[in-house]
Amino acid sequence: MKRLVFLLLISIIFSLSACSENKEDIVEKTLETKETIESYTTDYGISIDVETEFRNESSSVQGNATIAEKPAALHQIFTSTTTNDESTVEGYMVGEDSYIKEGDSDWIHQNIDPEAIQFEPSYKDILDIIEKTQKNTEFKEQDGTYQLSFEGYNQEIYDVLASPFSVELTGFQVDKDIEQKLIILINKDDYTVQTLQYDIVADNADTGNITMDIHMDYNNFNEVEEITIPEEAKNYSS
């Protein structure tokens, strides 16, 4: 009997040790992935709905990008949609060359500074968001991921996410009119960021209502093949 009790105690202690990782540990390991990530892909979407006394408008951007950090290179396709229009843009940025094509038009070539090649918000930008907002987020494990989340209003979170996502709400009292919902999912296996979801609702009786929905998924870490400019772009560019 004593041996059985002893083994049970050992089992309980082991289980507690296995579950001892807290938010600070997870965030630290996630931030450390900055040093190991050299390439990745992302699928993203941003939608904005505006309702005022004078206008109702909706717009969105849906796209995907393949990014290499060393050496820097980028391939991106996105579709912009408004109430009355829709357009698709594809672009390559490799070395000193940029090729961009809108819809069925010809490719346009420009010379660029290789140091200017960057997708925004980059994976490192998301890590920066995690580092600066971690003290204001709740932490839990869910469906094979670690989740950092916040719901309500927080000025620091608003400021941190304003720049990378170009969020600027004028005509609102941010501390009274705005509700935020932030969810960041971290992969349990390798501590990479899997998803960022950021929703903002601004509502004021005089100004109107604005709803913003931002979603980003990150995949294929360090599995991206070399990004090259297709011959079609080189041959049909102006």
Side-chain angles (χ1 to χ4, degrees):
M1 178 62 74
K2 289 183 178 180
R3 178 175 175 80
L4 178 60
V5 171
F6 176 75
L7 290 174
L8 286 172
L9 286 173
I10 291 295
S11 177
I12 292 171
I13 291 171
F14 178 79
S15 297
L16 290 173
S17 299
C19 300
S20 63
E21 289 186 308
N22 55 31
K23 180 169 75 170
E24 289 71 23
D25 295 332
I26 301 305
V27 168
E28 181 179 357
K29 291 177 180 179
T30 299
L31 297 180
E32 288 174 355
T33 64
K34 177 181 180 180
E35 306 303 324
T36 60
I37 301 302
E38 296 184 352
S39 65
Y40 57 93
T41 62
T42 179
D43 296 291
Y44 60 89
I46 301 174
S47 63
I48 304 174
D49 294 313
V50 179
E51 296 181 9
T52 70
E53 181 181 355
F54 306 102
R55 63 189 178 115
N56 294 326
E57 294 181 354
S58 297
S59 62
S60 67
V61 176
Q62 303 286 334
N64 61 78
T66 302
I67 301 103
E69 301 278 0
K70 298 176 183 178
L74 169 67
H75 174 224
Q76 182 175 198
I77 302 174
F78 64 89
T79 299
S80 301
T81 304
T82 64
T83 305
N84 303 312
D85 190 29
E86 180 176 294
S87 63
T88 298
V89 175
E90 181 174 10
Y92 288 87
M93 300 177 76
V94 180
E96 297 182 351
D97 296 303
S98 168
Y99 288 83
I100 297 176
K101 175 183 179 182
E102 182 174 355
D104 295 327
S105 63
D106 292 335
W107 289 92
I108 298 175
H109 173 255
Q110 288 183 321
N111 291 320
I112 58 172
D113 182 350
E115 294 185 2
I117 299 176
Q118 185 176 0
F119 175 82
E120 295 182 349
S122 67
Y123 181 77
K124 292 179 181 178
D125 290 330
I126 303 303
L127 294 181
D128 189 52
I129 289 171
I130 292 174
E131 184 174 21
K132 292 179 179 178
T133 62
Q134 59 175 305
K135 67 179 181 181
N136 296 309
T137 56
E138 296 182 358
F139 172 78
K140 68 177 181 180
E141 298 182 32
Q142 180 175 333
D143 300 331
T145 64
Y146 299 111
Q147 178 177 296
L148 301 172
S149 63
F150 173 83
E151 191 164 357
Y153 174 76
N154 181 277
Q155 182 68 49
E156 189 170 5
I157 290 178
Y158 178 84
D159 292 339
V160 168
L161 280 95
S163 177
F165 293 108
S166 301
V167 176
E168 184 177 357
L169 299 172
T170 58
F172 294 94
Q173 292 182 311
V174 291
D175 57 336
K176 296 181 180 180
D177 299 338
I178 293 177
E179 287 288 323
Q180 302 161 286
K181 184 177 181 180
L182 173 66
I183 297 176
I184 299 172
L185 300 181
I186 297 169
N187 190 300
K188 266 189 175 183
D189 295 330
D190 58 12
Y191 303 100
T192 55
V193 179
Q194 183 173 304
T195 297
L196 181 145
Q197 176 75 41
Y198 184 43
D199 302 323
I200 309 173
V201 177
D203 187 61
N204 181 282
D206 297 323
T207 306
N209 178 280
I210 296 178
T211 302
M212 300 182 66
D213 176 48
I214 299 168
H215 185 91
M216 305 200 69
D217 290 325
Y218 292 89
N219 301 283
N220 302 313
F221 292 104
N222 295 337
E223 296 179 358
V224 171
E225 297 181 359
E226 182 182 4
I227 299 173
T228 58
I229 298 170
E231 291 301 318
E232 175 194 359
K234 295 178 181 178
N235 294 335
Y236 296 95
S237 64
S238 56

